């Protein structure tokens, strides 16, 4: 399980446009990142520190909140399934 988690985290950060612009990615990968929370979390940090956010903050918070609720629901379902 740890190997799978590390692989997912590594691949998310490797292909996430935190250190570079999203425009440098291929078009298909840009579309994938529109649904992942990493870019929105990075944008929230940029906006908090530098007041230079690319996306509207309400959209960033909504995307991160949706991912949080979704992942929490999956976690609860998996945890209770094992009992």
């Amino acid at each position: 399980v740890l190997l799978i988690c590390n692989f997912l985290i590594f691949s998310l950060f490797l292909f996430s446009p935190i250190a570079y612009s999203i425009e440098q990615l291929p078009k298909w990968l840009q579309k994938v990142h529109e649904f992942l929370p990493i870019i929105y979390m990075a944008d929230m940090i940029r906006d908090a520190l530098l007041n230079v956010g690319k996306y509207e903050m309400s959209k960033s918070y909504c995307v991160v909140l949706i991912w949080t609720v979704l992942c929490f629901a999956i976690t609860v379902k998996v945890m209770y399934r094992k009992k």
Side-chain angles (χ1 to χ4, degrees):
V1 175
L2 185 60
L3 180 65
I4 294 170
C5 289
N6 284 337
F7 175 75
L8 289 174
I9 291 170
F10 179 74
S11 61
L12 267 175
F13 283 118
L14 180 66
F15 296 112
S16 67
I18 293 175
Y20 51 86
S21 176
I22 194 170
E23 287 81 21
Q24 294 176 336
L25 294 173
K27 294 291 182 190
W28 66 272
L29 200 52
Q30 288 179 14
K31 293 293 181 189
V32 169
H33 277 289
E34 289 179 11
F35 298 104
L36 296 176
I38 300 292
I39 191 168
Y40 297 104
M41 289 188 285
D43 195 55
M44 290 184 334
I45 292 170
R46 274 190 213 107
D47 190 58
L49 295 175
L50 305 171
N51 291 329
V52 194
K54 182 176 181 181
Y55 301 100
E56 190 173 326
M57 280 298 100
S58 60
K59 180 180 180 181
S60 295
Y61 280 112
C62 285
V63 170
V64 172
L65 180 65
I66 289 168
W67 271 95
T68 303
V69 170
L70 180 69
C71 290
F72 182 75
I74 291 170
T75 302
V76 168
K77 184 175 182 173
V78 169
M79 291 294 289
Y80 284 115
R81 183 182 67 180
K82 290 190 177 209
K83 286 187 175 182

